[in-house]
């Protein structure tokens, strides 16, 4: 597992604009999500596929007496599905009180970064990327793209209509590793 | 105080913790207890009162009412609520006369007692809200007490301990006209009653003490198991055993909690007799209310959610559905209208039907109005089936105010009913037949309810089919597949007992990859029926029947419209629950045109009975015998050795029950002879007696051979038939057994 930016933790810990992010990987990209938005990391789970569902839905998984709908980050990025391991994270959307799962390739660790290291989305990014990404942190090992869990919730995704079934092709130009 | 039940009050804990701090909290524990108890008493009284009107001589009912009022009176004196005590005292006095037989039950008397109840409720609400019973002059109950006294045939002054005889006397002169004045006096009291019911019902839930004890036991067990697990660690030898224990404890606990949350629909129905009675009197109707399926369990939160829509529907049915007695007589119907409330499980939901035998909805006027209001084009209207046209009344634009009342007589606020039911994920349907009646069907999902269902496999995935929609299962071996499947164009049909059944391939419908190598095993056809559609669903494999717990799906997945929920199966995997009706619609299966009984059961059923379905079999040689299909539960093939004898009578142990077997054609003797010759013999047994209909005497019937299921006509019993009941089924004479069928008659007559 790659754990990025651990060495920087100490030097920025006391600053008020430090944010802790959970790093995760999908395709060839590294992403970060605010740890306070993550309820639990479930690890590898068997997903029950739902026929006729939008392509970005990875399936459903039982979670604490509920049926959790999961969103496939790979599908959102337009990266082909892979047969390897995948990891389920449980997100909690405070506003809509909707719980959902996010399926990624792997989860890294907790990274504390300085808020000022955040760069806005480039203006050349196409519409789907603009919806998904919330800027990027400049890390030593490269960029960590910040995701906004609220925008990843299944209902929001289907509302936008950006990720319809027959629209395929990558949201960004990343290649499968 | 009460041993039979415990009260769980979410507010209680909070109140308990702060009891000594908040002195201003004016309603203390004792009073709260008293209020809840009194309200229950009054609820009981309400039920009994409406029943009393139909059975005036029932001393038990009267006793129940008397006790309710008496308890209130007794406790109030102790708590110091004088106003309540006075009113209760007046009521008790009247009830006392009634109990001693000095008074007869009249409709005025019932009204008076209902007003008494409203009065008591109003004061209880006041106490609950303000902590005192309100002794301002305006709140005095002189009028009501006077009414009660008058009903008791007394001069109000004679009533002992009454505070202000002169007021009462003045009121009496006014009350001479009795009912109208009295009802106006009581009507303001009705408003707060509704509020209070809502308030207290939200907070408290009655749970059987046994259930609560079991829950506590299970929680204890859970803690113990956890402790052991923590101490022993993963490597311990007894770990698997501990895990198993944890598993069973959890399952039990889940079930117990679920059980506690489920409330019988009857709790909700109980409010209606009174409402219908009042409404019927104001509208000048004559209405009788009948119930069935009160025991159907529904999650408490859902029960609350459908209360308002259901009330609306009942009000509509009495107000607009049922005609005035005069009109009914003219139409050749009994003057007394009938309102039926039914609750039952169907395809993963609880269905609540409000059925009246009124005039029905005039379709052509609905269409006309819809066109006028630009809701549909004239062409579209002309092409609509009756079913589709009826759906128009749910359109928001359609059902506004009085315009609709003049058009259809139904439909005021139907859009609101639908909106409310859909809010909890349910749906509303309406069926109407001109002159016969209207049925409004509220379908509520069982978000938490437990449904028996069959788990099937298709395209490598598991799906759950609710048992209630399942009619039968057909096994089609691969080699026969080509022969039995018939085609019209591209659509495939299965010929099931001379009926063509549209086939729907689940894997194709859902776009799943059919795994080719497993093809050779053949297919299973699940014959399903929902919302008037009947079709055969082709699946790859049948798994086990399971009682599943329905979990809701997220909105995105609900939008697909084919799944009513998901469930965790015994092996821990998830299975989607197929919405049978929606699947039919998606596959293009249309509802069958033929009406299936239903509405005018009263008179219509007599004629309809002529066209019932029969199961035809052979028991005596050369004779065809039939049983009405609805009394046959199952057809079992039993090894002859399993049939046992007691006192010369054959018996069968069947699912923990001992069934007497009928063997009219001496089939057993023949079979026994065959066994003597060393053959392996199976006896065909029809399991009869419909458990749903309350038929207690189930039994089996041994037959030689089951022949067919078909429609038939009962013949008139006359001399030619020789006293036995004969039917014409497929132009052939068939003897009809009646032993099991008789009980099924008049089941709906039960008046609650």
């Amino acid at each position: 597992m790659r754990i990025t930016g651990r060495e920087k933790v100490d030097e920025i810990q006391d600053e008020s604009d430090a944010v802790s992010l959970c790093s995760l990987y999908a395709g060839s990209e590294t992403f970060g999500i605010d740890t306070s938005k993550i309820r639990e990391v479930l690890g590898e789970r068997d997903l029950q596929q739902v026929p006729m569902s939008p392509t970005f839905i990875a399936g459903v998984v039982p979670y604490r007496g509920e049926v959790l709908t999961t969103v496939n980050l790979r599908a959102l990025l337009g990266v082909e599905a892979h047969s390897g391991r995948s990891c389920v994270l449980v997100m909690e959307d405070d506003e809509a009180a909707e719980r959902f799962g996010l399926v990624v390739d792997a989860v890294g660790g907790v990274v504390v970064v300085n808020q000022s290291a955040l760069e806005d989305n480039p203006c050349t990014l196409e519409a789907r990327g603009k919806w998904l990404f919330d800027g990027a942190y400049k890390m030593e090992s490269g960029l960590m793209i910040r995701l906004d869990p609220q925008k990843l919730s299944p209902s929001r995704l289907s509302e936008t209509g950006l990720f319809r079934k027959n629209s395929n092709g990558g949201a960004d130009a990343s290649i499968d590793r | 105080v009460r041993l039979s039940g415990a009260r769980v009050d979410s507010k209680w804990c909070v109140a308990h913790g702060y009891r000594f701090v908040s002195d201003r909290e004016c309603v203390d524990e004792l009073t709260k207890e008293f209020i809840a108890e009194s309200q229950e008493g009054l609820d009981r009284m309400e039920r009994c009162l409406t029943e009393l009107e139909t059975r005036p001589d029932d001393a038990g009912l009267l006793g129940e009412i008397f006790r309710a009022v008496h308890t209130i009176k007794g406790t109030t004196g102790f708590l110091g609520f004088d106003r309540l005590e006075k009113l209760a005292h007046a009521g008790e006095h009247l009830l006392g006369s009634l109990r001693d037989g000095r008074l007869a039950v009249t409709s005025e008397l019932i009204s008076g007692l209902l007003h008494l109840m409203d009065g008591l409720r109003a004061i209880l609400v006041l106490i609950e809200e303000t902590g005192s019973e309100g002794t301002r002059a305006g709140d005095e109950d002189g009028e009501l007490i006077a009414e009660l006294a008058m009903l008791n045939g007394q001069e109000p002054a004679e009533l002992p301990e009454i505070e202000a005889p002169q007021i009462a006397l003045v009121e009496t002169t006014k009350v001479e006209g009795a009912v109208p004045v009295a009802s106006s006096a009581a009507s303001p009291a009705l408003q707060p009653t509704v509020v209070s019911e809502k308030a207290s019902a939200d907070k408290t839930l009655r749970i059987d003490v046994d259930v609560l004890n079991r829950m506590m036991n299970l929680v204890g067990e859970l803690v113990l198991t956890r402790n052991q697990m923590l101490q022993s660690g993963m490597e311990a030898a007894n770990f698997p055993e501990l895990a198993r224990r944890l598993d069973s404890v959890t399952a039990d606990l889940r079930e117990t909690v679920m059980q506690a949350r489920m409330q019988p629909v009857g709790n909700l129905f109980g409010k209606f007799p009174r409402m219908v009675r009042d409404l019927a009197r104001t509208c000048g109707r004559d209405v009788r209310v009948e119930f069935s399926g009160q025991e159907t369990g529904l999650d408490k939160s859902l029960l609350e959610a459908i209360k308002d829509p259901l009330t609306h529907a009942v009000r509509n049915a009495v107000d607009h559905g049922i005609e005035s007695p005069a009109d009914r007589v003219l139409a050749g119907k009994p003057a007394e209208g009938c309102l039926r409330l039914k609750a039952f499980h169907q395809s993963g939901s609880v269905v609540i039907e409000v059925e009246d035998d009124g005039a029905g909805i005039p379709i052509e006027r609905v269409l006309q109005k819809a066109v006028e209001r630009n809701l549909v084009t004239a062409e579209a209207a002309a092409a609509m089936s009756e079913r589709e046209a009826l759906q128009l009344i749910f359109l928001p634009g359609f059902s506004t105010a009085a315009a609709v009342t003049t058009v259809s007589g139904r439909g005021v606020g139907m859009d609101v009913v639908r909106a409310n039911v859909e809010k909890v994920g349910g749906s509303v349907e309406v069926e109407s037949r001109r002159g016969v009646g209207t049925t409004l069907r509220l379908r509520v999902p069982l978000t938490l309810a437990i449904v028996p269902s069959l788990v099937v496999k298709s395209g490598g995935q598991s799906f759950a089919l609710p048992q209630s929609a399942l009619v039968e299962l057909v096994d089609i071996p691969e080699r026969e597949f080509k022969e039995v499947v018939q085609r019209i164009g591209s659509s495939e049909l299965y010929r099931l007992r001379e009926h063509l059944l549209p086939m729907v391939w689940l894997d194709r419908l859902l776009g799943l990859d059919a795994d080719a190598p497993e093809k050779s095993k053949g297919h299973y056809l699940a014959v399903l029926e929902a919302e008037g559609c009947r079709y055969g669903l082709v699946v790859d494999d049948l798994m086990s029947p399971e009682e599943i717990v329905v979990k809701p799906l997220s909105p995105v997945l609900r939008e697909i419209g084919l799944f009513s929920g998901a469930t965790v199966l015994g092996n821990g995997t998830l299975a989607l629950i197929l919405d049978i009706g929606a699947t039919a619609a998606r596959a293009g299966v249309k509802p069958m045109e033929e009406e299936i009984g239903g509405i005018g059961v009263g008179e219509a059923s007599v004629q309809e009975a002529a066209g019932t379905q029969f199961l035809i079999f052979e028991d005596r040689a050369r004779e065809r015998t039939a049983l009405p299909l609805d009394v046959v539960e199952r057809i079992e093939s039993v090894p002859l050795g399993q049939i046992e004898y007691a006192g010369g009578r054959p018996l069968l142990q069947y699912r923990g029950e001992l069934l007497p077997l009928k063997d009219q054609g001496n089939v057993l003797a023949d079979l026994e002879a065959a066994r003597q010759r060393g053959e392996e013999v199976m006896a065909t047994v029809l399991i009869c007696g419909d458990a749903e209909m309350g038929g207690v005497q189930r039994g089996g019937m041994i037959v030689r051979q089951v022949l067919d299921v078909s429609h038939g006509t009962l013949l008139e019993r006359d001399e030619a038939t020789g006293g036995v009941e004969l039917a014409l089924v497929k132009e052939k004479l068939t003897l009809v057994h009646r032993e099991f069928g008789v009980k099924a008659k008049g089941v709906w007559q039960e008046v609650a």
Side-chain angles (χ1 to χ4, degrees):
Chain A
M1 296 241 162
R2 295 176 284 173
I3 297 172
T4 356
R6 261 286 153 84
E7 64 279 5
K8 293 193 80 182
V9 169
D10 298 332
E11 72 186 68
I12 51 170
Q13 202 133 54
D14 42 16
E15 288 176 37
S16 57
D17 54 355
V19 283
S20 70
L21 297 172
C22 178
S23 65
L24 37 102
Y25 311 101
S28 57
E29 310 278 328
T30 307
F31 298 92
I33 291 181
D34 194 339
T35 44
S36 64
K37 303 277 176 60
I38 299 175
R39 191 182 162 85
E40 194 172 338
V41 178
L42 289 181
E44 202 170 350
R45 287 295 161 101
D46 284 334
L47 291 166
Q48 167 75 36
Q49 257 137 53
V50 182
M52 316 289 279
S53 60
T55 39
F56 60 81
I57 300 288
V60 286
V61 72
Y63 175 70
R64 302 202 178 172
E66 284 173 43
V67 172
L68 199 69
T69 308
T70 58
V71 172
N72 193 343
L73 190 55
R74 269 181 171 257
L76 285 178
L77 299 172
V79 184
E80 280 169 45
H82 73 145
S83 51
R85 293 159 56 87
S86 62
C87 185
V88 181
L89 288 110
V90 184
M91 305 295 203
E92 197 150 39
D93 188 341
D94 300 329
E95 236 168 68
E98 187 190 1
R99 242 180 236 173
F100 67 97
L102 187 67
V103 180
V104 297
D105 294 355
V107 175
V110 176
V111 188
V112 181
V113 290
N114 198 319
Q115 189 69 50
S116 62
L118 182 70
E119 294 282 334
D120 284 343
N121 282 334
C123 46
T124 50
L125 198 64
E126 45 76 72
R128 283 198 270 176
K130 273 188 187 143
W131 173 268
L132 291 174
F133 307 147
D134 195 20
Y137 290 99
K138 299 187 292 278
M139 311 294 285
E140 283 183 355
S141 56
L143 289 178
M144 179 191 268
I145 302 167
R146 190 165 84 155
L147 296 174
D148 181 2
Q150 272 189 30
K151 288 191 167 176
L152 294 179
S153 83
S155 43
R156 293 290 295 275
L157 287 171
S158 76
E159 270 169 30
T160 62
L162 284 169
F163 304 95
R164 284 274 155 76
K165 231 180 214 168
N166 38 13
S167 57
N168 40 27
D172 72 19
S174 56
I175 345 136
D176 202 1
R177 43 176 178 170
Chain B
V1 185
R2 197 178 303 270
L3 289 172
S4 62
R7 202 182 317 282
V8 175
D9 187 340
S10 62
K11 262 199 166 173
W12 183 82
C13 311
V14 182
H16 205 66
Y18 291 98
R19 198 155 54 158
F20 303 104
V21 186
S22 61
D23 269 355
R24 280 183 297 160
E25 172 83 283
C26 32
V27 185
D28 60 41
E29 288 305 315
L30 200 59
T31 314
K32 266 191 200 164
E33 178 79 6
F34 159 69
I35 289 170
E37 208 152 278
S38 304
Q39 266 165 354
E40 264 159 36
L42 289 176
D43 282 348
R44 259 200 316 280
M45 174 175 168
E46 178 170 341
R47 273 196 298 278
C48 294
L49 271 177
T50 34
E51 261 178 66
L52 189 68
E53 200 165 25
T54 49
R55 286 183 286 149
D57 300 325
D58 195 325
L61 284 174
L62 209 51
E64 182 93 359
I65 300 168
F66 188 83
R67 267 197 302 282
V69 178
H70 181 77
T71 314
I72 292 176
K73 190 195 118 179
T75 330
T76 43
F78 167 66
L79 286 170
F81 294 121
D82 289 340
R83 182 182 163 208
L84 198 56
E85 190 187 1
K86 261 178 216 155
L87 187 56
H89 178 79
E92 191 190 3
H93 205 72
L94 176 61
L95 284 164
S97 313
L98 200 60
R99 196 177 53 168
D100 299 343
R102 274 183 278 138
L103 283 173
V105 176
T106 61
S107 118
E108 277 75 34
L109 191 78
I110 299 278
S111 292
L113 288 171
L114 285 172
H115 295 152
L116 163 72
M117 203 183 68
D118 290 338
L120 292 173
R121 276 227 170 107
I123 302 176
L124 283 174
V125 169
L126 210 61
I127 295 172
E128 193 178 17
E129 280 168 359
T130 65
S132 78
E133 51 180 352
T135 42
R136 284 171 290 121
D139 289 336
E140 288 298 343
D141 316 292
E143 209 171 311
L144 189 50
I145 292 173
E147 187 199 344
L148 294 173
M150 202 193 63
L151 285 166
N152 206 357
Q154 279 179 329
E155 283 300 305
E158 280 177 37
L159 205 73
E161 301 155 42
I162 278 291
E163 88 294 8
Q166 58 273 67
I167 297 175
L169 271 170
V170 175
E171 294 301 337
T172 331
T173 48
K174 264 207 276 172
V175 175
E176 224 56 79
V179 190
V181 182
S183 65
S184 74
S187 55
L190 261 170
Q191 290 325 103
T193 314
V194 178
V195 179
S196 86
E197 270 164 13
K198 199 157 201 161
S200 56
D202 283 345
K203 281 181 294 183
T204 62
L205 175 67
R206 282 186 72 89
I207 301 177
D208 200 315
V209 160
D210 286 344
V211 175
L212 203 59
N213 285 343
R214 213 175 323 141
M215 252 186 240
M216 201 56 229
N217 275 343
L218 287 168
V219 170
E221 192 75 0
L222 203 62
V223 171
L224 287 178
T225 317
R226 183 203 59 183
N227 291 350
Q228 286 185 32
M229 282 184 124
L230 287 177
Q231 277 170 23
S232 62
M234 286 274 272
E235 295 79 26
N238 64 343
F239 190 79
E241 191 218 324
L242 284 175
R244 256 201 308 282
R245 180 130 58 99
L246 186 67
D247 174 63
S248 66
V249 171
T250 321
D252 284 357
L253 186 62
R254 190 187 67 183
E255 196 176 306
T256 320
V257 173
M258 199 87 71
Q259 204 182 334
R261 280 189 65 94
M262 295 295 248
Q263 298 280 296
V265 177
N267 287 1
L268 187 59
F269 283 180
K271 314 240 183 276
F272 289 122
R274 162 80 195 276
M275 198 189 95
V276 170
R277 180 186 183 275
D278 286 358
L279 258 176
R281 294 192 87 179
T282 20
C283 307
R285 306 278 194 274
D286 210 348
V287 186
R288 172 184 62 177
V289 193
E290 290 179 11
F291 297 113
S292 69
Q294 289 112 305
E295 71 290 338
T296 312
L298 191 58
D299 192 82
K300 187 173 164 56
S301 53
L302 284 169
L303 210 55
E304 285 296 312
I306 60 161
K307 194 164 125 192
D308 289 345
L310 198 60
T311 311
H312 199 106
V314 168
R315 198 169 290 158
N316 248 355
V318 176
D319 195 0
H320 308 300
I322 292 173
E323 318 92 318
S324 65
D327 287 348
R328 291 183 62 88
V329 172
L330 274 181
K333 294 194 248 187
E336 188 182 47
C338 182
L339 182 74
R340 289 192 191 88
L341 286 165
K342 289 187 204 166
F344 53 93
H345 288 268
Q346 195 185 59
S347 50
S349 22
V350 167
V351 179
I352 298 183
E353 283 187 357
V354 181
E355 183 181 312
D356 66 59
D357 61 350
I361 303 173
I363 304 284
E364 65 285 350
R365 313 251 340 236
V366 170
L367 285 172
Q368 191 191 333
K369 204 73 203 170
V371 173
E372 271 172 35
R373 285 171 179 260
N374 286 329
L375 294 168
V376 286
T377 60
E379 297 86 62
M384 271 185 181
S385 73
E386 248 182 50
R387 222 182 155 91
E388 285 166 329
L390 277 176
Q391 297 304 314
L392 291 174
I393 66 163
F394 292 116
L395 292 179
F398 186 88
S399 49
T400 45
V404 175
T405 323
T406 56
V407 177
S408 60
R410 290 294 281 272
V412 179
M414 286 313 253
D415 57 326
V416 182
V417 170
R418 184 162 79 167
N420 277 336
V421 175
E422 282 182 353
K423 220 181 278 169
V424 291
S427 66
V428 186
E429 286 165 42
V430 67
E431 256 175 48
S432 179
R433 280 201 290 178
R434 196 67 180 275
V436 180
T438 309
T439 307
L440 191 78
R441 200 167 291 134
L442 308 183
R443 206 177 281 273
V444 195
L446 311 151
T447 308
L448 273 162
I450 300 166
V451 217
S453 63
L454 180 76
V455 182
V456 298
K457 269 218 150 136
S458 182
Q461 285 202 24
S462 305
F463 297 93
L465 309 176
Q467 291 272 18
S468 49
L470 197 61
V471 183
E472 61 182 289
L473 291 164
V474 184
D475 179 10
I476 314 176
E478 185 61 24
R479 61 196 147 76
E480 287 175 23
F481 201 78
K482 290 249 154 50
E483 297 152 37
V484 292
V485 176
Q486 323 211 325
R487 282 165 198 280
I488 300 177
S490 63
S491 60
E492 288 161 311
L493 299 158
Y494 181 77
R495 196 190 270 188
L496 183 71
R497 291 186 294 273
E498 297 311 304
H499 283 287
L500 285 179
L501 200 66
M503 286 170 77
V504 177
W505 296 73
L506 188 56
D507 46 0
R508 288 185 210 163
L509 185 77
L510 298 179
L512 298 167
D513 316 321
D515 31 3
E518 284 187 41
K519 268 258 160 100
S520 55
K521 278 202 312 200
H523 295 275
Y524 293 92
L525 191 71
V527 182
L528 303 169
E529 192 173 285
E531 288 160 30
C533 310
R534 198 185 178 110
Y535 63 101
L537 191 74
V538 185
V539 297
D540 297 341
D541 203 359
L542 303 180
M543 312 297 280
S544 54
E546 263 185 65
E547 296 224 308
I548 56 167
V549 180
V550 184
K551 306 276 184 193
L553 289 172
S554 64
V556 179
L557 300 181
R558 261 206 303 273
E559 251 169 47
I560 305 172
L562 286 175
F563 310 109
S564 53
T567 187
V568 184
L569 296 179
N571 59 8
T573 58
L574 278 178
L576 294 160
I577 304 162
L578 212 59
D579 184 331
I580 307 300
T583 309
R586 184 67 60 93
V589 180
K590 285 262 182 243
M592 294 180 293
E593 280 307 309
E594 60 198 84
E595 280 291 326
I596 312 159
I599 300 173
V601 186
E603 311 88 310
S605 66
V606 181
Q607 280 98 40
E608 273 172 11
T612 38
Q613 283 214 312
F614 291 100
L615 177 79
I616 305 147
F617 53 88
E618 199 179 78
D619 55 355
R620 283 169 244 232
R622 294 190 307 281
E623 245 180 65
R624 282 158 61 96
T625 317
L627 270 174
L629 189 62
D630 46 356
V631 305
V632 182
E633 275 177 17
R634 287 173 76 92
I635 303 171
E636 291 278 350
S637 194
V638 183
L640 195 61
Q642 270 188 28
I643 294 173
E644 292 160 300
Y645 292 86
R649 290 187 308 141
L651 294 167
L652 175 67
Q653 289 185 36
Y654 179 72
R655 297 187 177 181
E657 231 183 298
L658 203 58
L659 297 185
L661 297 181
K662 276 200 168 52
D663 179 20
Q664 286 170 329
N666 284 325
V667 187
L668 281 177
D670 293 355
L671 291 174
E672 195 60 45
R675 195 162 75 149
Q676 300 288 331
R677 292 195 297 270
E679 291 169 35
E680 182 65 31
V681 189
M682 304 290 278
T684 311
V685 182
L686 308 180
I687 311 292
C688 303
D690 201 335
E692 263 177 46
M693 307 284 252
V696 258
Q697 29 109 242
R698 290 169 84 196
M701 185 170 267
I702 299 179
V703 302
R704 265 170 225 278
Q705 202 184 350
V706 174
L707 297 170
D708 199 358
V709 171
S710 183
H711 279 281
T713 330
L714 276 179
L715 290 181
E716 293 269 328
R717 200 185 291 210
D718 58 19
E719 281 169 24
T721 62
V724 292
E725 225 167 325
L726 288 178
L728 264 189
V729 183
K730 286 205 193 155
E731 321 288 280
K732 284 186 185 165
L733 272 186
T734 308
L735 180 74
V736 179
H737 275 293
R738 270 296 174 192
E739 289 99 296
F740 300 105
V742 188
K743 283 253 161 165
K745 277 186 184 171
V747 171
W748 302 123
Q749 303 305 320
E750 173 197 339
V751 182

